[in-house]
């Protein structure tokens, strides 16, 4: 149902997204435009990129992106141009700044904290286990397997 | 320390719940509308643009026009129902002497002219944004939108959606008073 | 009369659920068998009553009784019967009733088939289920009553959103709810175990079937939703990292972690506290999703329940259920006996690694989903966290998990042999290297990312296959011996191998379809041809066709491979007058290796039509993978050790559990 509801309200008109007349002749520029379009949020349809939306504003933005690329601007400049006018909300990849730092560093921090926690747990356990049993060597394993034969496996 | 750690999940869930409660309260009745976006253009000069008039009218709109005094810039279209809803309030403001400029977004000239003929014309000048390009320069995403521009040509406020008497009383009146005093 | 019966039944079910929430718990505390057995009876009555209420609602929908507000808002006389029925859960109130029905159904199952559980445990589990049920029935009756009447009734209903009038979506919610609600069983078992202060391998084995049912259903539910998005939304996407999708993915991630950690608990009698925590949190994540979607915090204008009262009520439920569970955990988990020792290089070590990455990715998806809300609540600005963020964070977290998967599967419990495992996977390693090199050579973009992830897919599929072959004795053993092992291999081994293999299938599908998709967007006139992916697509024309409750513009495309006509594809643009909206029906030709996907766009009024034609290589593997994965879960469910009556705490000793697998 969750998926249902989201699609239900945001995509009320099934999108046809990019139209034939918008596509650039220059394949490299067009490819760049597609990549940029996937990074920009369609503001009126809430949760789609402008590449996926057929809202008029999304179309205007797609055309704008292509025009600026044709004028020779870099990808970053084009994205910056749109973000300057619409704010960070238009960026599907939140920019790294003070307010989003937590978001960006948390994956690695959580992972590291998890690893440290596990290591500490393990060391604590080692302390409680004075005798270390070395793992079986491959030869020993073979012997063991032979001895156990059919029953074990 | 391993004993205390069992309280961590509870603490996090509790904190998140408090946050949700705050947020529910913020967006509750009479609260903020979470679909409204703040404008990235606040306190920036109006973008450079030069729009031709709607076919059949004389005065177009360009950025230079907005530097001659405190004004409202209203983005509208004849096909947009909320624009009809807010129109009487724009008329009221114009009668009170507020300067209102219009940006007519992606409209058919005949429709736009009929709209003005039937409902009245509060606008000092109207630029016809036939391609939607200038609207992007302003960072417009919904219709109608109304900007408050001060005498130096800086954008001071944006209202998304139809304006109403509450919006005029609670926001525009006090803002305009504050800005014109300076 | 029917809705009143339903309303009355639901109200009575509330009384029974409250009785179930209190009496057996007290009975277990006093060790009174009579009071404990009340649970079985109340669970039975609760289910019958909720079922009655649900049937009443279905009857109202089928009869198009527009005097019932919910029917008037969500149905229409012209709608086909199946969508009249699926319309019951295509809205907030009806879907809540379905939620409660499934909850009651799980309660019934424990009551009727839980004879192998110790009476006190069963009583406590059913009590917790009763309490949860009481909370949700109260929520239904007080804030979301589906049986409210309209006076005067409208002559016609306003219909169901056409996007929901689709076979894929008719069954998507029931499976999702089976998943969400299924995790309530793990939750109740965890709470009961905390109350009893006893968590041991037997407990893990009792919870396992419920977790498997929940996880399998959720897998199917998510896959159905994503499949539907793929064919219905018209641009070939199938996962968007939307908050609402994430809401269903979060419990899945924790449920997957739980399936793995419970194994460690079962075989090694350790990881108790963590497994209990996961059991609580998996259901917590389900409740969180319910809150996010139904409270209006995600997007107030667009969501289901704009009524803030509902948001507050669900938040309270969330806080009481999850907060209460975690408080009990905080107090009691410390007293759980720290389990057996474990070595880092071992099966259990690998499973802990699995849990580390799954839990981290859960945290990342959770944070990404909540972050915009968090910033907004603090007034720190509006941001969007979309697909680019999740692709940049979630995907790297999956890489080590996927690489480690076949190695972990090869390790023995207690003390594994890393170099031994690796050396037995040499062939898989070599094969994936070949795949990487080939895809680098064949791909004109020389995408290392794509090649690498294809390599991982091959590594998974081949590694898991090798492990499976080794387990049945190939190639060393005689044919008879291999056959004997093949037949006698525990079902759980079959299940795990299938699900892990499916993961590789899915990774391959995701990679190839996203990297090598071919797209053609153009204006076509009748007679125009487009060459794509080895097919020639000939546009024959477009015209109007009528459906039961819609009219459609239908395009006709003949598809050729060389000179052979393969098929005719008929994509449609439908408009539904009753609901005043339209849908796009893509036409798809699939051969399990690739999809030819055609969408009809608008006409240019000069005889031309905008068309979008996609060649999506390997995209079917995504859903084949999902089906295999769910099948793995289902096969695992039939394992002998999970059978009713098989596991008894008294019978087994700690070590008897270990040799069963491997």
């Amino acid at each position: 149902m969750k998926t249902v509801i989201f699609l239900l309200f945001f995509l009320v008109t099934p999108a046809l997204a990019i139209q034939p007349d918008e596509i650039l002749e220059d394949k490299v520029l067009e490819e760049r435009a597609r990549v940029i379009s996937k990074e920009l949020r369609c503001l009126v349809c809430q949760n789609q990129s402008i590449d996926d939306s057929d809202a008029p504003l999304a179309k205007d933005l797609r055309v704008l992106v292509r025009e600026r690329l044709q004028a020779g601007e870099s990808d970053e400049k084009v994205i910056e141009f749109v973000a300057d006018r619409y704010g960070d909300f238009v960026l599907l990849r939140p920019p790294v700044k003070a307010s989003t730092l937590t978001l960006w560093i948390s994956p690695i921090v959580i992972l590291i904290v998890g690893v440290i926690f596990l290591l500490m747990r393990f060391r604590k356990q080692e302390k409680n286990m004075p005798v270390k049993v070395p793992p079986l060597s491959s030869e020993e394993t073979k012997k063991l397997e032979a001895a156990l034969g059919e029953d074990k496996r | 320390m391993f004993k205390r750690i069992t309280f961590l999940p509870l603490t996090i869930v509790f904190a998140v719940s408090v946050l949700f409660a705050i947020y529910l309260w913020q967006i509750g009745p009479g609260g903020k509308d979470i679909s409204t976006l703040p404008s990235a253009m606040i306190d920036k000069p109006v973008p450079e643009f030069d729009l031709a008039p709607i076919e059949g009218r004389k005065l177009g709109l360009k950025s230079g026009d907005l530097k001659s005094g405190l004004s409202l810039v209203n983005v509208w279209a004849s096909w947009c129902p909320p624009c009809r809803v807010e129109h009487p309030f724009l008329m009221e403001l114009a009668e009170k002497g507020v300067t209102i400029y219009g940006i007519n977004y992606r409209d058919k000239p005949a429709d736009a002219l009929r709209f003005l003929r039937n409902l009245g014309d509060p606008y000092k000048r109207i630029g016809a944004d036939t391609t939607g390009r200038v609207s992007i320069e302003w960072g417009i995403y919904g219709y109608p939108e109304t900007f408050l521009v001060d005498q130096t040509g800086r954008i001071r406020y944006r209202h998304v959606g139809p304006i109403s008497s509450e919006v005029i009383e609670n926001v525009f009146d006090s803002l305009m008073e504050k800005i014109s005093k300076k | 009369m029917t809705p009143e019966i339903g309303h009355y039944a639901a109200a009575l079910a509330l009384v029974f659920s409250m009785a179930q929430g209190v009496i057996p718990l007290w009975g277990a505390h006093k060790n009174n068998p009579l009071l404990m057995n009340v649970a079985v009876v109340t669970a039975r009555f609760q289910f019958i009553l909720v079922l009655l209420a649900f049937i009443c609602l279905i009857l109202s929908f089928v009869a198009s009784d527009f005097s019932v507000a919910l029917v008037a808002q969500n149905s229409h006389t012209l709608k086909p019967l199946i969508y009249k029925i699926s319309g019951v859960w295509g809205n907030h109130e009806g879907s809540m009733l379905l939620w409660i029905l499934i909850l009651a159904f799980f309660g019934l199952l424990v009551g009727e088939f839980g004879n192998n559980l110790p009476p006190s445990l069963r009583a406590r589990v059913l009590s917790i289920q009763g309490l949860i049920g009481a909370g949700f029935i109260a929520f239904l009756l007080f804030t979301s009553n589906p049986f409210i009447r309209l006076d005067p009734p409208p002559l016609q209903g306003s219909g169901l959103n056409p996007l929901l009038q689709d076979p894929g979506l008719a069954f998507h919610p029931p499976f999702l709810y089976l998943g969400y609600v299924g995790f309530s069983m793990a939750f109740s078992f965890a709470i009961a175990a905390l109350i009893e202060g006893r968590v041991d391998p037997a407990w893990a084995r009792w919870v396992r079937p419920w977790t498997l049912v929940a996880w399998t259903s959720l897998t199917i539910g998510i896959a159905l939703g994503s499949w539907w998005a793929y064919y219905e939304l018209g641009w070939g996407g199938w996962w968007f990292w939307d908050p609402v999708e994430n809401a269903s993915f979060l419990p899945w991630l924790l449920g997957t972690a739980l399936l793995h950690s419970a194994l460690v608990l079962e075989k090694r009698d350790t990881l108790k506290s963590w497994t209990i925590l996961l059991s609580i949190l998996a259901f917590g994540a389900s409740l969180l999703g319910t809150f996010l979607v139904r409270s209006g915090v995600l997007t107030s204008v667009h969501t289901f329940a704009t009524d803030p009262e509902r948001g507050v009520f669900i938040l309270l439920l969330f806080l009481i259920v999850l907060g209460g569970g975690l408080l009990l955990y905080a107090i009691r988990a410390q007293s759980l006996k720290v389990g057996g020792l474990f070595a880092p290089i071992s099966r259990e070590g690998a499973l802990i690694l699995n849990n580390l990455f799954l839990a981290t990715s859960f945290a990342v998806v959770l944070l990404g989903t909540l972050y915009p809300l968090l910033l907004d609540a603090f007034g720190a600005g509006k941001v969007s966290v979309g697909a680019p963020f999740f692709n940049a964070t979630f995907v790297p977290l999956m890489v080590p998990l996927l690489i480690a998967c076949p190695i972990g599967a090869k390790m023995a419990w207690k003390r594994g042999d890393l170099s031994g495992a690796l050396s037995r996977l040499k062939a898989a390693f070599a094969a994936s290297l070949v795949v990487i090199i080939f895809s680098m050579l064949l791909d004109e973009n020389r995408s290392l990312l794509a090649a690498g992830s294809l390599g991982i897919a091959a590594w998974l599929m081949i590694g898991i296959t090798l492990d499976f072959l080794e387990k049945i004795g190939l190639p060393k053993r005689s044919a008879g011996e291999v056959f004997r092992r093949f037949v006698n291999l525990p079902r759980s081994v079959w299940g795990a191998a299938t699900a892990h293999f499916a993961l590789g299938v899915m990774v391959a599908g995701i990679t190839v379809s996203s990297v090598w998709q071919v797209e053609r967007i153009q204006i076509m006139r009748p007679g125009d041809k487009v060459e794509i992916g080895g097919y020639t697509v000939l546009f024959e024309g477009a015209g109007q066709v009528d459906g039961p409750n819609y009219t459609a513009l239908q395009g006709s495309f003949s598809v050729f491979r060389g000179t052979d006509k393969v098929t005719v594809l008929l994509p449609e643009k439908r408009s539904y007058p009753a609901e005043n909206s339209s849908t796009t029906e893509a036409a798809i030709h699939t051969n399990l290796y690739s999809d030819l996907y055609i969408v009809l766009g608008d006409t240019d009024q000069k005889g031309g039509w905008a068309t979008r034609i996609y060649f999506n290589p390997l995209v079917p593997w995504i859903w084949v993978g999902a089906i295999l994965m769910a099948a793995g879960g289902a096969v695992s469910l039939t394992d002998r050790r999970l059978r009713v009556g098989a596991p008894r705490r008294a019978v087994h000793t700690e070590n008897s559990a270990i040799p069963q697998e491997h």
Side-chain angles (χ1 to χ4, degrees), chain C residues 3-11 53 57 61 68-71 73-74 91-97 100 136-149 307 309-310:
Chain C
E4 279 70 30
I5 295 174
H7 193 168
Y8 185 68
L57 192 59
F61 267 83
V68 178
L70 195 67
V71 182
Q73 285 153 19
N74 295 288
N91 57 77
H92 167 73
E93 290 84 351
S95 63
M96 246 11 264
L97 186 57
I100 292 163
F136 277 93
I137 298 174
F139 174 64
L140 181 87
L141 288 175
F142 298 134
T143 72
S144 324
N145 191 338
F147 299 110
I148 289 174
R149 292 272 200 176
D307 186 353
E309 209 176 274
R310 286 179 190 161

Side-chain angles (χ1 to χ4, degrees), chain A residues 93, chain C residues 239 241 386-397:
Chain A
R93 184 195 306 268
Chain C
W239 187 260
W241 292 108
F389 170 82
F390 292 104
N391 289 339
T393 52
F394 180 81
V395 175
L397 279 170

Side-chain angles (χ1 to χ4, degrees), chain C residues 52 58 76 80 86 152 241 302 319 325 378 495 506 553 627 634:
Chain C
L52 182 63
I58 289 184
H76 193 279
S86 73
W241 292 108
H302 303 281
L319 193 63
F378 286 118
M506 219 179 213
L553 286 169
I627 293 167

Side-chain angles (χ1 to χ4, degrees), chain A residues 1-21 23 27 30 34 38-41 44-49 51-54 86-95 97-118 121-122 124-126 128-129 133-138 141 145 149-153, chain C residues 89-91 95 161 163-164 169 172-173 176-177 180 225 228-229 232-235 240-245 247-248 286 289-290 293-294 299 302-304 340-344 352 356-357 360 363-364 367-368 371 375 380 382-389 392-393 397 415-417 424 470 477 481 484-485 519 521-523 573 581-584 599-602 610-612 659 662:
Chain A
M1 201 61 222
K2 317 266 157 177
T3 319
V4 178
I5 301 152
F6 120 69
L7 297 159
L8 176 96
F9 292 106
F10 297 150
L11 313 174
V12 178
T13 18
L16 257 191
I18 184 167
Q19 298 295 308
D21 56 337
I23 294 171
K27 280 204 172 137
E30 175 62 23
R34 296 302 294 274
K38 288 191 169 71
E39 297 271 332
L40 296 175
R41 178 173 188 160
V44 280
C45 22
Q46 299 290 354
N47 239 300
Q48 285 173 286
S49 73
D51 198 51
D52 296 336
S53 168
D54 66 349
Y86 285 95
D88 291 344
F89 188 76
V90 78
L91 303 173
L92 283 170
R93 184 195 306 268
K97 49 166 76 174
S99 62
T100 59
L101 203 60
T102 321
L103 178 69
W104 279 108
I105 61 170
S106 64
I108 193 74
V109 169
I110 293 169
L111 191 63
I112 290 173
V113 167
V115 170
I116 292 174
F117 181 76
L118 283 179
R121 271 254 127 131
F122 184 62
K124 194 180 161 205
Q125 173 195 295
E126 291 236 297
N128 298 341
M129 180 176 62
V133 186
L136 299 181
S137 69
S138 58
T141 315
E145 276 181 11
E150 311 287 287
D151 313 331
K152 165 80 178 162
R153 314 200 103 237
Chain C
W89 54 79
N91 57 77
S95 63
N161 186 309
L163 285 174
L164 301 184
L169 265 206
H172 165 65
L176 271 193
Y177 293 167
Y180 293 157
W228 169 81
E232 180 77 22
L233 296 183
W235 69 94
F240 306 94
W241 292 108
D242 181 87
V244 181
E245 282 175 316
S248 67
S286 302
T290 308
V293 173
R294 293 165 194 266
T299 34
H302 303 281
T303 358
F304 241 8
L341 303 168
F342 64 86
I352 286 168
L356 173 70
F357 281 101
T360 307
V364 168
L367 194 69
Y371 208 78
L375 275 193
K382 293 252 183 191
V383 292
S384 302
V385 180
F389 170 82
T393 52
L397 279 170
R415 260 175 291 130
D417 173 8
R424 278 180 291 170
E470 199 183 294
R477 311 279 166 180
E481 169 64 13
R484 197 183 65 80
R485 289 189 175 191
E519 179 189 62
I521 303 170
Q522 61 278 307
I523 300 279
K573 276 165 70 80
S581 67
S582 56
T583 66
T584 303
V599 183
L600 184 71
D602 294 320
T611 58
R612 291 159 73 84
H662 193 58

Side-chain angles (χ1 to χ4, degrees), chain B residues 70 91-100:
Chain B
L70 194 64
M91 293 300 294
E92 211 177 280
L93 280 171
E95 272 162 33
K96 278 200 282 181
V98 178
T99 311
I100 305 176

